[in-house]
Amino acid sequence: MKFNLNEEGSKYMRVIAWGQMWGQYNDNLPEDKKAIEFSTRRARILTYAQITPKFLVLTHFGLNSLNADNMSPTGKGESSQLFFHDFWVQYSLGKNHAIGSGLHYWNGISRLNSQGTLNLMTLDNNRQSWSTLGLSDQFARHQGVYVKGSFGKFQYRVSINESMTNSLDSRVLADNVNTTIYAGRKVLGSKESGMNYAGYFEYGFFDAESNFLPYRVGSYLGTKKVFNIGAGFFLHPKGSVYNDGTSNIGEDVSIFAVDAFYDAPIGDKKGAITAYATYQNNNYGKNYLFNAYGTGSFVYGHAGYMFHSEKLTKIQPYLSFASNSYDAVDDSRNVFGLGTNVYLNGHNSKLTLEYKKKFGESKTGTITLQAMVYL
């Protein structure tokens, strides 16, 4: 929804709103929990305003994963509150380059670490690809300064950021001897562990993708022919801390990835294929393992095909697979996904049904039906 502030439309404000509602069946729950539950996966509003071609202000707020277990009686609980996902200001350095600052999403590492949630092909993002979420950043957003732009078919984004003090990894070193914990800034101080550095670089062989905003598209549904290869990094000196029983030792965090994305119409442009693959090497410190994060590596890929149809409604089945190898454990953690999107009006209105199976120390299967609308 775009509101022009002058007749030419060069001064404007745009508003985007979207919601993703889940009904989910889980086959691995405690006996006192029912198998099917409903939740609001995402409720978001994003606005940006451009008063002159030189300046842009972006605001993105909302909430995530609101369900019966974290709701509050009067809507004042922590999980019920809206919060800023993004807030940054940007200054143009010319036609193809810009610098900005704030709570931003111009991330490094891979395409999936900057994945937008408006046009995912799979039900949700590969969780391990949001590789710093809650460890050094607030919900995949850092407070810092970024530069982004393009040289022909080559695009880049680099940033220098503050690392968060209150990491999601809240373990205490005194209780975890010979364990690595992502709490460098909290334990060692901001002088030693205060900053991190990130970047992502890609080359597009066919149609150019927009880098006006940082949110990467999951599927173009046949409207573009795109083949991009990319590489990225994240570096956080002494981001983690290892306790050897006598002292706290800072451990550098370094993450590197390469990936490829292909999306193209098939035949008479009424069908389309989408494919993505990435390899990522993670070093969070010696034998680090916490929730979805771990020192080691993973491969991930997904592929989907949108069938030809003369009607507005289109169907797109897809497959996904991830294999995560961690230094701290012998077994890999693998995730297999099988799903179908039913597009009622492109990404603006769609239904997604996905079966996902996780293998590793424990096996969990989920079936999720998502209804999504965005304007």
Side-chain angles (χ1 to χ4, degrees), residues 221 306 312-314 316 341-347 349-350:
L221 307 182
M306 189 181 74
L312 185 62
T313 300
K314 300 182 186 298
Q316 181 189 47
N341 291 307
V342 179
Y343 296 99
L344 306 176
N345 185 17
H347 286 293
S349 177
K350 71 177 181 180

Side-chain angles (χ1 to χ4, degrees), residues 144-159:
V145 178
Y146 66 86
V147 179
K148 59 98 173 182
S150 63
F151 297 94
K153 293 187 175 184
F154 175 81
Q155 292 189 6
Y156 71 92
R157 55 179 74 188
V158 292
S159 60

